Amino acid sequence: MIKRVLIGLVLWMVCFSIDAKQSLNVLFVNPSVPGEPFWQRVQGITEAAADQFDIRLDVIYGEGNRIIQLAELKKYLSYRATPDYVILINYPGGAEESLKLLEKYGINHITLEETISGPERLAIGNPKEHYKYWLGEVHHDNDQAGYDLAKQLYQQAKTNGHETIYPIAINGHYGTESDIRSNGAKRFFDEVGVVVQQTVYAGWSKEQAFDKTKKLLARYPKTNLIWCASDLMAMGAITAAASSTSKIVFGGFDWLSDTFDLIEHNEMQASVGGHFMMGAWALISVYDHYYGHPFWKNHTELAFDLSLITKENLADYRWVKSAKNWQSIDYKAMSLRGKPKEQYHFSPELLRKSLQK
């Protein structure tokens, strides 16, 4: 009897040891500040996915500054156990230092969005080219998304009876994904022979967008379309234009909670989104890589499409407004663990199918 108990105890300890060894620890670097609407949603959904996979997810904040983000990353790696993986955004001007740091520690990592271009992109190269632990990038086509938003707003402005379209564009930061988005918008406007009156940068800030829109409307009183690189800036523009006599159409990115109400009440005409899922999708790919799926061995990017919300399809996506629904998404159904020949097909439309009833 004692012998059986001892054997059972040894077997339990072996199983426990295996389980402990297989526990997965991931660091998610939120590039913003706690509570910022878009990145709080990205983080919350990533945390919900981590719960389903029993992944320990730590979070640090970059506070919207490449220097602070690098300092926080150094501090975390210096004082805590090394995570198995890191998920982060490469800040323009700070990508090389971050990649070198993670390479030094030998930590596999995934970057979100294609934020680096020009000479800096040439310096860091592609994933695995200069930094072998940089597995790849999870990103979407910002250029096409900017194009699609401009097209939707143009069509809406035409429906409102405007024969000639007079757009302005409000961007986020210089040299980031917002430039790629606005380049896509310009590409569409060029195709239809429309000149963007002016493009300004508002630092992703609602307040800056408000102030700059006030000035732009005084300068360009015929404005009837305001294209924005984020919903938050669109909200600032909407408030600034409240006293305008022109019937202006507005659009942005991110699918913020307030966006759904604005679209429903015709105060905002369109929003591009779905990229709030990118942290969770990166986490799923990390989980699969940890358990041997060859995707990141054979690829350097995981691209997904964004979707456009208008009043016509608002009901299909309203459920994402509530944080309580994030736990209801079947993240495990998106995993390719045990399916080595299959590929990822992430998209916002997938959410409707994967939502557990």
Side-chain angles (χ1 to χ4, degrees):
M1 180 68 180
I2 295 176
K3 185 176 180 181
R4 288 181 181 177
V5 171
L6 287 173
I7 291 173
L9 182 60
V10 169
L11 288 173
W12 178 85
M13 291 178 67
V14 169
C15 291
F16 178 82
S17 175
I18 292 172
D19 287 342
K21 184 179 179 182
Q22 290 182 342
S23 62
L24 182 55
N25 182 17
V26 178
L27 172 66
F28 175 71
V29 183
N30 182 327
S32 191
V33 296
E36 189 278 328
F38 176 73
W39 282 105
Q40 186 61 43
R41 176 174 288 181
V42 174
Q43 178 183 324
I45 290 174
T46 306
E47 289 171 337
D51 287 343
Q52 281 193 19
F53 288 105
D54 294 322
I55 294 172
R56 176 186 168 185
L57 187 74
D58 290 338
V59 178
I60 61 174
Y61 297 89
E63 299 185 25
N65 184 291
R66 62 182 174 83
I67 297 173
I68 294 175
Q69 176 167 303
L70 181 62
E72 289 299 309
L73 185 57
K74 285 180 177 178
K75 186 192 302 181
Y76 178 92
L77 296 177
S78 297
Y79 292 101
R80 301 198 189 187
T82 304
D84 297 298
Y85 295 85
V86 173
I87 298 171
L88 77 163
I89 271 191
N90 271 329
Y91 258 113
E96 201 165 0
E97 288 188 81
S98 295
L99 293 173
K100 284 180 178 177
L101 179 66
L102 293 170
E103 193 76 10
K104 170 188 169 185
Y105 280 89
I107 304 171
N108 286 322
H109 52 284
I110 303 288
T111 54
L112 303 177
E113 303 199 48
E114 287 184 306
T115 55
I116 309 301
S117 58
E120 189 176 11
R121 183 70 199 203
L122 291 175
I124 65 173
N126 294 316
K128 294 192 279 282
E129 184 178 347
H130 302 313
Y131 304 97
K132 68 177 181 179
Y133 293 102
W134 182 15
L135 299 180
E137 291 184 296
V138 174
H139 67 89
H140 45 273
D141 190 338
N142 271 309
D143 180 87
Q144 186 60 46
Y147 179 101
D148 292 342
L149 179 61
K151 182 178 180 180
Q152 178 65 34
L153 295 179
Y154 174 85
Q155 292 172 343
Q156 185 63 55
K158 286 289 189 179
T159 300
N160 289 350
H162 295 294
E163 292 185 10
T164 305
I165 308 302
Y166 298 98
I168 60 176
I170 301 178
N171 245 350
H173 287 144
Y174 290 93
T176 64
E177 65 271 22
S178 67
D179 275 335
I180 303 174
R181 292 174 184 177
S182 65
N183 287 340
K186 184 178 183 303
R187 181 163 60 87
F188 170 77
F189 289 129
D190 286 345
E191 286 180 8
V192 293
V194 170
V195 177
V196 178
Q197 298 173 111
Q198 190 171 344
T199 299
V200 297
Y201 292 85
W204 305 110
S205 164
K206 183 178 180 180
E207 292 74 20
Q208 285 191 45
F210 173 87
D211 292 338
K212 295 192 175 186
T213 300
K214 278 283 189 185
K215 295 174 182 176
L216 287 168
L217 290 178
R219 188 178 305 154
Y220 306 107
K222 292 184 178 180
T223 298
N224 49 26
L225 186 157
I226 300 181
W227 179 103
C228 300
S230 78
D231 286 348
L232 200 61
M233 293 189 297
M235 291 172 195
I238 290 168
T239 305
S243 59
S244 174
T245 56
S246 298
K247 193 170 185 181
I248 302 174
V249 296
F250 301 87
F253 284 70
D254 294 345
W255 293 3
L256 299 185
S257 294
D258 290 342
T259 301
F260 294 89
D261 296 329
L262 290 169
I263 291 177
E264 182 177 7
H265 294 101
N266 295 315
E267 296 177 66
M268 187 173 174
Q269 282 61 50
S271 177
V272 176
H275 50 309
F276 55 78
M277 290 295 302
M278 60 185 166
W281 287 333
L283 190 75
I284 292 167
S285 75
V286 154
Y287 172 84
D288 292 345
H289 179 270
Y290 186 71
Y291 286 103
H293 194 278
F295 180 85
W296 286 122
K297 179 181 178 182
N298 301 326
H299 299 81
T300 59
E301 65 175 2
L302 201 174
F304 61 93
D305 294 328
L306 300 184
S307 292
L308 198 65
I309 284 181
T310 64
K311 196 167 184 179
E312 284 66 36
N313 66 351
L314 186 64
D316 291 336
Y317 295 99
R318 182 178 282 281
W319 65 269
V320 304
K321 178 179 176 180
S322 176
K324 68 181 181 182
N325 291 329
W326 301 343
Q327 294 284 350
S328 300
I329 299 171
D330 189 358
Y331 302 99
K332 285 190 174 181
M334 305 180 198
S335 168
L336 298 183
R337 183 181 176 185
K339 305 171 186 176
K341 294 184 179 180
E342 295 192 26
Q343 303 292 311
Y344 296 105
H345 300 287
F346 293 139
S347 71
E349 284 77 14
L350 185 64
L351 300 181
R352 287 183 293 177
K353 299 176 183 177
S354 69
L355 183 65
Q356 295 173 345
K357 302 298 182 184

